[in-house]
Amino acid sequence: MKPSADMLELIACAVLVLVSCVGNTCLFYTTRKCITGRVQASFLVIFSLASVNLIKTLVVNVIRIVYSSGITLDSAGCKVLQFTAALTTSLAIWFVLHLALLYHRKLYQIVHPSSEAASPDQQEHSLKLVSVLWLAGVTVYIPLVVYTSKAASSNTGNGTDTLSTNRVYVDCLIDFGNRQVEFYYGKIFLVLIDVLPLAVLVFVCFWMSLLLSERRKMTYGDIWIGDDDSEVETLRGAKFSILLMLLITPLWISHFILVYFLKDLATCVFTPAVLSVLSSGFSALSPFLLMLVNYKMKLVSFCGAKKQKPMPPPADVVVSPYA
């Protein structure tokens, strides 16, 4: 007996929910353990990224599981599905770009030191930017709530429903009602707000890879000096950002191509499961990439530089009051 498309999608979404919940919960826990004082800018972005991953997992994938199990979505369910899926996808791209820019700046300062002092309000600026990104994402995708509706059942009773292999993608329609709105907002604007940050992300990560290569060749008077804790944290964060780019970019491009040619793939039984994996694969795998990078480097997850306590003087040594 061949598995149905709904069963394959249900299994894929259930696995994604399990893996994502475990990974992002561990990411929250391990990152929180690193915080000993004021929250670093990178921590704020990681917390936001993990939150986006969990929202996608617990809303989008759970709705798909419910739909694949045979429970029909109403119009409100379709609105929540389309809005949350689009919002979390864009926010994930924006937060990865924000993280990459943070570590690119730090890495550039290591490779090309500057006499200018670092901004003391970096955490405050990062918090404001994260808040702006959340607000911008909600504002951009609010129209989807208005334009999304549930399609009327078509192919009932004929036993040859060729669209049954991807019902959740065709039953929840986005009907703009106006060709100009559909073209400029749906086909240009909503695509560009993902494509442009992805293009910048690829460029920034390519630049970081060049800086990392240059960093490995650096010497100080023909003598190589080992990295301190802050440099190790920066190098680790840069490598993690590059890995995130290599994960999120192919997933987004593959999902976009499949959705664009969805009508030609409607009869494929694997289409719903593949689309679910492509759209939610980043939220499930990204926290494990972070833990893998830190394991390879024998460091605790994204803990920044830690101040070492000075060694106490021996008991038999008298410390000078002028020391």
Side-chain angles (χ1 to χ4, degrees):
M1 179 181 177
K2 278 187 175 183
S4 64
D6 288 340
M7 181 58 65
L8 290 175
E9 184 177 21
L10 191 151
I11 294 173
C13 290
V15 172
L16 289 169
V17 169
L18 177 62
V19 173
S20 181
C21 286
V22 172
N24 287 286
T25 301
C26 293
L27 180 58
F28 269 119
Y29 175 73
T30 55
T31 305
R32 189 176 182 275
K33 282 181 61 179
C34 299
I35 301 176
T36 56
R38 192 176 181 184
V39 180
Q40 296 183 21
S42 57
F43 289 167
L44 292 173
V45 183
I46 292 173
F47 280 133
S48 299
L49 187 58
S51 300
V52 169
N53 291 341
L54 286 175
I55 291 173
K56 169 163 278 189
T57 295
L58 298 177
V59 177
V60 177
N61 287 324
V62 169
I63 289 178
R64 287 173 178 167
I65 290 175
V66 170
Y67 199 91
S68 300
S69 63
I71 301 176
T72 304
L73 290 180
D74 57 7
S75 180
C78 286
K79 292 178 184 294
V80 171
L81 176 64
Q82 295 284 17
F83 172 78
T84 308
L87 174 64
T88 52
T89 298
S90 292
L91 285 178
I93 295 173
W94 299 350
F95 287 138
V96 171
L97 176 58
H98 183 18
L99 189 67
L101 289 173
L102 282 176
Y103 282 105
H104 173 269
R105 185 186 60 81
K106 292 182 179 181
L107 183 60
Y108 189 85
Q109 289 176 348
I110 292 175
V111 179
H112 303 283
S114 173
S115 58
E116 297 180 0
S119 174
D121 297 328
Q122 181 180 353
Q123 287 85 357
E124 183 179 351
H125 294 333
S126 182
L127 178 60
K128 290 180 180 179
L129 181 56
V130 167
S131 302
V132 168
L133 290 178
W134 277 99
L135 181 61
V138 173
T139 303
V140 164
Y141 288 107
I142 278 294
L144 291 185
V145 178
V146 179
Y147 293 121
T148 300
S149 60
K150 186 179 184 302
S153 299
S154 55
N155 306 324
T156 55
N158 56 8
T160 59
D161 186 2
T162 58
L163 295 178
S164 62
T165 59
N166 59 344
R167 293 179 307 155
V168 73
Y169 300 98
V170 296
D171 282 4
C172 292
L173 295 178
I174 302 177
D175 184 11
F176 294 99
N178 185 292
R179 289 186 177 181
Q180 290 185 342
V181 174
E182 180 180 0
F183 179 75
Y184 288 108
Y185 174 76
K187 293 185 177 180
I188 294 182
F189 179 72
L190 293 184
V191 174
L192 287 180
I193 61 173
D194 285 348
V195 170
L196 292 180
L198 279 175
V200 176
L201 176 62
V202 172
F203 173 76
V204 170
C205 289
F206 177 74
W207 192 353
M208 279 198 296
S209 65
L210 295 179
L211 291 174
L212 288 171
S213 177
E214 188 176 351
R215 176 67 183 84
R216 283 194 292 268
K217 301 174 183 177
M218 286 178 61
T219 59
Y220 299 87
D222 295 329
I223 300 175
W224 182 83
I225 300 177
D227 303 324
D228 60 19
D229 288 342
S230 61
E231 290 185 1
V232 169
E233 190 265 343
T234 298
L235 297 175
R236 181 184 41 190
K239 293 176 182 178
F240 174 57
S241 301
I242 294 173
L243 283 178
L244 287 182
M245 181 275 295
L246 293 175
L247 176 64
I248 196 170
T249 303
L251 288 176
W252 188 93
I253 294 175
S254 301
H255 184 269
F256 177 79
I257 292 174
L258 284 181
V259 170
Y260 185 79
F261 295 104
L262 189 60
K263 293 181 180 179
D264 299 332
L265 300 172
T267 56
C268 179
V269 71
F270 296 102
T271 297
V274 170
L275 288 175
S276 297
V277 171
L278 292 176
S279 63
S280 302
F282 178 81
S283 62
L285 297 178
S286 57
F288 293 100
L289 275 181
L290 173 59
M291 289 182 274
L292 174 63
V293 170
N294 289 288
Y295 171 77
K296 290 291 185 182
M297 299 189 68
K298 296 181 172 56
L299 294 168
V300 182
S301 336
F302 253 96
C303 291
K306 296 182 178 179
K307 296 182 179 179
Q308 296 182 352
K309 295 182 179 179
M311 295 294 293
D316 58 345
V317 175
V318 179
V319 179
S320 170
Y322 302 102

